[in-house]
């Protein structure tokens, strides 16, 4: 007999759909009930997740027990035994690990705060410049943004550090501006010292100033500010172009200059669009500071890595890192949410 | 030509302020250009690049096995040439015009490819045999582009075009097999891959693998089912909150503890896994924005036509969402390609890691500027090319395009 079976089977009338949609609709056919299907799916997903977590955690506990590394925080009190090259807080190798980590965290926060201020200022300027009436300036802004968007941050950081900052001369040959000296030994700034306002001064071929930033910090900060400011400039550009053209025309017909129009009319309205967009750039900046290890600046990640190498406490160190960075991110987000409430114009 | 002069005046010298800005900028740019050129031509010692081209390209990949990489390159260029030709041979849906076999962009691209193939190997002082291989590979690409464009116009071309989505993934797998060995070929462990090869393998693996995961996460985050939603949110936010370097740290130091018996895969694969999981969270956010942009009516219309929710999602909503999300997704891919540089911080010898080992060689001490600038140009070109490609794809996918 070579005739095909009679065309009455269910399979012939409804061919099985393929792929994910098929699997799900099969599931739907099984339950055939709108109320139970979601619970069925969630039950399966929950079970898979639970099994996965149980599997990973079980392995973790077994392996850690075998390695004698079960979770403990007692090592935090032991002397660190390594020095931190720069610190706002007093530190020495005989202080405990937790002090070293706090010093690292303070160094990270210092870079984040300085970076936030610097990249916001530079980014806003660059973003405004893309609306200049000068075509050359506008093209230059595009070049600036494209360079930063297409070259990795880490590469930029090592470039600034090894090529620019470490090639600086020391002593009298160091490049100077009024109140600022940029030498290989560091960035010297004028400030209030023991004898009131002091400028950087050269004593026996060595610069002295009330405020000295290490060249590592300066390189990290320069790299971060230049990189992030390009992205902030794009956010600012988007914000400014969201302001209706009529605002520009109205301001100029009132006789306002470009700069006054920008500062008094356009920018305040653009802020409504700019502020939410800044949030993710600021978080990128905070995360970017973790690349400090490549230029020898001892931020939190760098201290954590040294700590791990000495203690082998991978889980604990990772938990500390995760908590610290998530807290910084949440802090930035909270700050920006507050700012967002301030700039949203309440309409009549 | 007075119009040119008038435009010059309007764009650069419209008023005293603009004139001043233009003059200052011209002076600054001129000084920078002169300084850079003088450095690049007179002071820089490019031997550090010329001597180490193999190291930068493939790392410590065994010399007697490198023919496999040449084969992969040749296959890639052949496939690119054929795809390019076929795409041009058939009329474009977005233009509703007859096919234009050699549009201006393509003529420019051919000129650029030929120039690069002729000039770059010579500048890098490659041996004549290797220079000839690059000429041949470029010639293969252009010849197949021409042939596929010439004979790919009809029904056969249309069929071949339909095969492309299948051909590229298989080519990728064949390429990975050729690179890694096995199945009769001598195995080259990933520890010996390096330079550009490792960068590209890592980036492409992560880009390909993060895509399905990211789409699932995005769907999960927009799901009505609380368990799906919350597990997706927790995953996405934890990954996005932590710097990549801490996640790579997790992969290198903790992944071994999470697997039975403390066995962990090779370092290269661990890094690829971390990159994939990392990229998926960011991709999910891009896709989520795309999903949010699809009007609710699309899903409702599909449901009222009798499609089940999963069918409506995969056939109606997701294609539109991914089209909207395309620019953001390519942005993430570009960021991912750049993020592979972080692998140098955990001791992998991708491009930046290779650069560091080269500069640790006493013979090339202090040649930082040459090496870093070369890498910067390389990354710039790769990322800019991706960006250009994405814009072209966007135009192609846009159903409302008129021009």
């Amino acid at each position: 007999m070579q005739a095909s079976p009679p065309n009455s089977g269910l399979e012939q009338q409804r061919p099985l759909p393929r792929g994910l949609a098929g699997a799900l609709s099969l599931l739907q056919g099984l339950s055939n009930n709108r109320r139970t299907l979601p619970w069925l799916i969630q039950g399966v997903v929950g079970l898979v997740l639970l099994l996965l977590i149980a599997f990973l955690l079980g392995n973790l506990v077994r392996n850690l027990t075998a390695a004698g590394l079960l979770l403990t925080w007692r090592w935090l009190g032991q002397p660190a035994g390594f020095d931190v090259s720069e610190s706002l807080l007093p530190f020495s190798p005989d202080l405990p690990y937790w002090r070293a980590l706090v010093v690292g965290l303070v160094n990270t926060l210092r870079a984040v705060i300085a970076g936030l201020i610097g990249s916001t200022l530079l980014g806003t300027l660059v973003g405004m410049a893309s609306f200049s009436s000068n075509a050359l300036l506008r093209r230059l802004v595009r070049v600036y943004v494209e360079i930063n968007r297409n070259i990795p941050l880490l590469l930029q950081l090592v470039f600034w550090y090894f090529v620019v900052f470490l090639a600086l001369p020391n002593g009298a040959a160091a490049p100077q501006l009024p109140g600022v000296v940029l030498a290989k030994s560091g960035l010297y700034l004028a400030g209030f010292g023991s004898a009131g306002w002091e400028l950087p001064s050269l004593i026996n071929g060595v610069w002295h100033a009330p405020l000295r930033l290490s060249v590592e910090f300066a390189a990290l900060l320069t790299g971060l500010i230049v990189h992030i400011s390009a992205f902030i400039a794009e956010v600012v550009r988007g914000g400014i172009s969201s302001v209706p053209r009529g605002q520009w025309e109205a301001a100029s017909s009132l006789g306002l200059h470009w700069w006054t129009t920008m500062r008094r009319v356009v920018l305040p309205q653009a802020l409504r669009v700019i502020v939410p967009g800044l949030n993710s750039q600021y978080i990128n900046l905070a995360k970017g500071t973790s690349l400090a290890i490549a230029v020898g600046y001892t931020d939190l990640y760098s201290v954590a890595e040294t700590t791990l190498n000495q203690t082998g406490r991978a889980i604990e160190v990772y938990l500390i890192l995760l908590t610290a960075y998530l807290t910084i991110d949440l802090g930035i987000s909270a700050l920006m949410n507050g700012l967002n409430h301030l700039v949203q114009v309440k309409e009549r | 030509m007075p119009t040119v002069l008038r435009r010059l005046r309007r764009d650069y010298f419209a008023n005293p302020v603009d004139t001043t800005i233009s003059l200052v900028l011209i002076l600054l740019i001129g000084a920078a250009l002169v300084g850079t050129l003088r450095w690049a031509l007179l002071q820089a010692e490019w031997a550090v690049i010329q001597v180490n081209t193999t190291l930068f390209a493939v790392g410590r990949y065994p010399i007697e096995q490198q023919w496999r990489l040449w084969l992969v390159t040749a296959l890639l260029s052949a496939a690119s040439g054929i795809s390019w030709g076929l795409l041009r041979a058939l009329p474009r849906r977005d233009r509703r015009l007859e096919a234009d076999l050699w549009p201006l962009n393509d003529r420019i691209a051919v000129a650029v490819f030929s120039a690069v193939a002729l000039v770059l190997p010579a500048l890098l002082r490659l041996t004549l045999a290797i220079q000839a291989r690059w000429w041949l590979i470029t010639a293969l690409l252009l010849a197949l582009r021409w042939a596929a464009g010439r004979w790919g116009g009809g029904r056969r071309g249309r069929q071949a075009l339909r095969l492309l989505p299948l051909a590229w993934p298989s080519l990728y797998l064949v390429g990975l097999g050729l690179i890694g060995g096995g199945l009769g070929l001598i195995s080259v462990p990933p520890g010996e891959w390096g330079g550009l090869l490792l960068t590209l393998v890592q980036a492409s693996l992560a880009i390909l693998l993060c895509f399905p995961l990211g789409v699932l996460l995005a769907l999960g985050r927009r799901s009505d089912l609380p368990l799906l939603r919350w597990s997706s949110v927790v995953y996405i936010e934890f990954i996005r909150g932590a710097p990549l370097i801490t996640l790579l740290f997790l992969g290198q130091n903790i992944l071994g503890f999470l697997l039975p018996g403390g066995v962990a895969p090779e370092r290269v694969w661990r890094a690829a896994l971390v990159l994939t999981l990392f990229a998926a969270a960011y991709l999910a956010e891009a896709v989520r924005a795309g999903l949010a942009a699809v009007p609710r009516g699309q899903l409702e219309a599909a449901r009222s036509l009798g499609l089940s929710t999963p069918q409506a999602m995969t056939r109606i909503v997701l294609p539109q969402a991914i089209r909207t999300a395309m620019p953001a997704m390519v942005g993430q891919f570009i960021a991912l390609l750049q993020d592979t540089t972080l692998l140098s911080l955990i001791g992998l010898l991708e491009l930046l890691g290779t650069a560091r080992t080269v500069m640790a060689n006493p013979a090339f001490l202090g040649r930082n500027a040459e090496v870093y600038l070369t890498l910067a140009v390389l990354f710039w070109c790769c990322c800019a090319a991706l960006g250009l490609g994405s814009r072209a794809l966007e135009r192609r996918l846009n159903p409302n395009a008129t021009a």
Side-chain angles (χ1 to χ4, degrees):
Chain A
M1 256 204 170
Q2 52 176 336
S4 56
N7 194 8
S8 62
L10 195 70
E11 288 80 11
Q12 263 76 17
Q13 282 171 1
R14 265 187 63 189
L16 279 177
R18 289 189 204 141
L20 177 73
L24 284 177
S25 61
L26 205 69
L27 210 67
Q28 197 177 27
L30 277 180
S31 71
N32 224 355
N33 184 332
R34 291 217 166 194
R35 290 248 175 82
T36 52
L37 180 69
W39 294 107
L40 201 65
I41 295 178
Q42 293 202 74
V44 171
V45 171
L47 202 65
V48 169
L49 279 181
L50 262 180
L51 282 179
L52 187 69
I53 291 173
F55 171 73
L56 294 178
L57 274 186
N59 286 330
L60 184 67
V61 171
R62 213 168 312 124
N63 289 327
L64 287 181
T65 321
L69 282 171
L70 270 181
L71 209 63
T72 164
W73 300 98
R74 211 168 295 150
W75 55 272
L76 276 176
Q78 292 163 1
F82 61 88
D83 205 358
V84 175
S85 59
E86 61 182 307
S87 160
L88 290 182
L89 309 170
F91 188 76
S92 65
D94 49 325
L95 285 172
Y97 279 114
W98 69 266
R99 282 290 294 267
L101 288 164
V102 168
V103 165
L105 180 64
V106 169
N107 278 348
T108 289
L109 287 176
R110 186 158 74 119
V112 170
I113 293 170
L116 279 186
I117 298 170
S119 59
T120 309
L121 290 178
L122 187 57
T124 312
L125 277 182
V126 175
M128 291 194 315
S130 55
F131 288 88
S132 159
S133 55
N134 188 312
L136 191 59
L137 193 58
R138 290 201 303 267
R139 288 214 179 118
L140 213 58
V141 168
R142 290 315 310 159
V143 171
Y144 182 78
V145 170
E146 286 300 318
I147 284 180
N148 279 295
R149 186 186 277 168
N150 290 332
I151 298 179
L153 172 61
L154 183 58
L155 191 53
Q156 294 194 25
L157 286 178
V158 291
F159 185 87
W160 282 109
Y161 183 58
F162 289 106
V163 178
V164 178
F165 281 83
L166 285 190
L168 287 169
N170 264 329
Q176 303 168 31
L177 287 169
V180 183
V181 175
L182 189 55
K184 191 177 180 177
S185 54
L187 177 64
Y188 298 87
L189 298 170
F192 283 101
S194 48
W197 185 253
E198 284 178 35
L199 292 174
S201 53
L202 194 62
I203 302 168
N204 295 332
V206 180
W207 285 99
H208 290 271
L211 207 59
R212 174 188 168 271
L213 304 178
S214 75
V215 71
E216 287 79 22
F217 183 62
L220 174 71
L221 207 56
T222 314
L224 277 175
I225 288 178
V226 167
H227 187 76
I228 300 289
S229 70
F231 290 84
I232 290 183
E234 286 293 275
V235 174
V236 170
R237 191 171 68 94
I240 292 178
S241 57
S242 78
V243 176
R245 261 192 83 79
Q247 296 287 330
W248 285 96
E249 286 158 3
S252 75
S253 69
L254 286 175
L256 297 183
H257 287 296
W258 184 92
W259 177 245
T260 323
T261 310
M262 185 62 96
R263 201 163 50 95
R264 290 290 167 94
V265 179
V266 176
L267 216 47
Q269 301 185 67
L271 275 181
R272 273 180 276 175
V273 178
I274 292 174
V275 168
L278 286 182
N279 193 357
S280 62
Q281 294 312 325
Y282 285 169
I283 287 177
N284 281 345
L285 176 97
K287 291 191 287 187
T289 58
S290 65
L291 299 183
I293 193 168
V295 296
Y297 177 68
T298 41
D299 74 325
L300 178 63
Y301 178 75
S302 152
V303 174
E305 207 186 65
T306 316
T307 306
L308 170 77
N309 288 338
Q310 293 192 1
T311 62
R313 296 263 159 212
I315 311 282
E316 292 89 336
V317 169
Y318 180 69
L319 287 177
I320 292 173
L321 278 178
L322 186 70
T323 319
Y325 281 107
L326 284 183
T327 314
I328 294 175
D329 293 347
L330 283 180
I332 291 174
S333 290
L335 205 72
M336 295 309 285
N337 274 340
L339 197 59
N340 198 15
H341 278 295
L342 277 182
V343 297
Q344 295 304 327
V345 174
K346 279 127 205 115
E347 308 220 344
R348 283 158 293 179
Chain B
M1 276 182 273
T3 45
V4 172
L5 279 181
R6 217 176 298 140
R7 188 188 293 169
L8 212 63
R9 179 161 176 184
R10 187 195 65 204
D11 282 355
Y12 302 103
F13 306 102
N15 54 48
V17 180
D18 274 358
T19 309
T20 324
I21 293 177
S22 291
L23 288 179
V24 170
L25 285 181
I26 288 170
L27 278 180
L28 283 177
I29 295 171
L33 271 183
V34 168
T36 313
L37 276 180
R38 187 179 288 165
W39 173 82
L41 297 178
L42 301 178
Q43 284 164 290
E45 289 174 22
W46 297 103
V48 59
I49 306 292
Q50 290 158 346
V51 173
N52 295 304
T53 41
T54 316
L55 212 53
F56 278 115
V58 298
R60 307 212 170 280
Y61 202 90
I63 295 173
E64 67 276 14
Q65 295 299 323
Q66 282 176 8
W67 61 270
R68 283 146 58 169
L69 304 178
W70 286 106
L71 185 58
V72 172
T73 319
L75 283 176
L76 277 178
S77 85
S80 317
I82 293 175
S83 314
W84 184 11
L86 284 179
L87 284 176
R88 282 287 181 268
L90 297 166
R92 286 175 57 171
R93 210 184 331 165
D94 58 328
R95 296 209 173 148
R96 292 185 189 85
L97 290 173
E98 277 306 297
D100 181 4
L101 205 48
W102 288 102
L104 182 64
N105 282 350
D106 286 26
R107 275 176 276 165
I108 294 176
V110 168
V112 169
F113 279 144
S114 320
V116 167
L118 287 178
V119 172
L120 197 59
L123 273 183
L124 290 173
R125 302 253 164 89
L126 302 176
T127 59
L128 205 60
I130 293 183
Q131 286 200 36
R133 283 184 211 180
W134 282 114
W135 300 337
L136 278 179
I137 284 174
T138 314
L140 181 70
L141 180 111
L142 297 179
L144 284 173
R145 156 73 180 87
W146 178 81
R150 177 76 179 71
W151 287 294
R155 214 162 55 92
R156 243 178 320 157
R158 223 174 290 270
Q159 279 165 351
L161 194 66
R162 225 168 287 144
L163 278 181
L164 282 185
L166 207 72
W168 276 97
S170 5
L171 180 65
Y172 187 77
L173 290 180
V174 168
L176 272 190
L178 274 174
I179 293 169
L183 293 177
L185 284 173
I186 298 171
S187 153
V188 181
E192 293 178 14
W193 311 353
L196 184 63
L197 172 70
L198 186 59
T199 296
L200 291 181
V201 167
Q202 290 275 0
S204 59
L205 263 182
I207 287 174
L208 289 177
L209 296 180
C210 81
F211 186 75
L213 195 57
V215 171
L216 280 183
L217 280 169
L219 286 176
R221 191 165 185 170
R222 283 179 60 82
S223 163
D224 294 329
L225 310 179
L227 183 68
L228 290 188
R229 193 170 61 241
W230 284 109
S231 40
S232 307
V233 166
V234 166
Y235 177 83
I236 292 173
E237 292 307 326
F238 265 83
I239 296 281
R240 277 164 36 99
L244 176 57
I245 181 78
T246 65
L247 296 172
L248 289 168
F249 172 97
L250 179 85
Q252 298 301 311
N253 298 304
I254 298 182
L255 199 64
F257 288 124
L258 292 172
L259 297 173
V263 283
E266 170 101 39
R267 274 194 323 163
V268 169
W269 298 131
R270 269 183 279 166
L273 177 71
V274 170
L275 274 183
T276 305
L277 295 177
F278 172 79
Y282 285 82
L283 194 79
E285 285 301 273
V287 175
R288 183 170 73 115
L291 283 172
V294 179
R296 251 201 96 70
Q298 292 287 327
L299 183 66
E300 286 160 3
R303 295 281 293 123
S304 71
L305 282 176
L307 295 178
S308 70
T309 310
Q311 277 176 334
M313 264 300 175
T314 50
R315 303 267 166 87
I316 308 290
V317 178
L318 259 184
Q320 299 184 55
I322 287 176
R323 190 164 58 209
T324 318
M326 188 63 81
M329 276 164 45
V330 176
Q332 290 304 336
F333 295 156
I334 292 176
L336 186 63
L337 178 59
Q338 300 185 8
D339 282 338
T340 55
T341 51
L342 267 68
L343 299 179
S344 67
L345 294 182
I346 55 166
L348 292 187
L349 295 180
E350 44 66 73
L351 269 175
L352 192 58
T354 307
R356 292 174 141 207
T357 57
V358 164
M359 286 177 301
N361 181 342
F364 305 119
L365 223 52
R367 299 267 73 92
N368 294 306
E370 289 87 343
V371 172
Y372 287 142
L373 271 180
T374 310
L375 287 198
V377 170
L378 193 57
F379 268 105
W380 196 91
C381 292
C382 289
C383 297
L386 268 178
L388 267 182
S390 115
R391 257 163 275 160
L393 196 63
E394 229 174 284
R395 275 196 303 274
R396 233 166 213 287
L397 291 177
N398 185 0
N400 305 322
T402 46

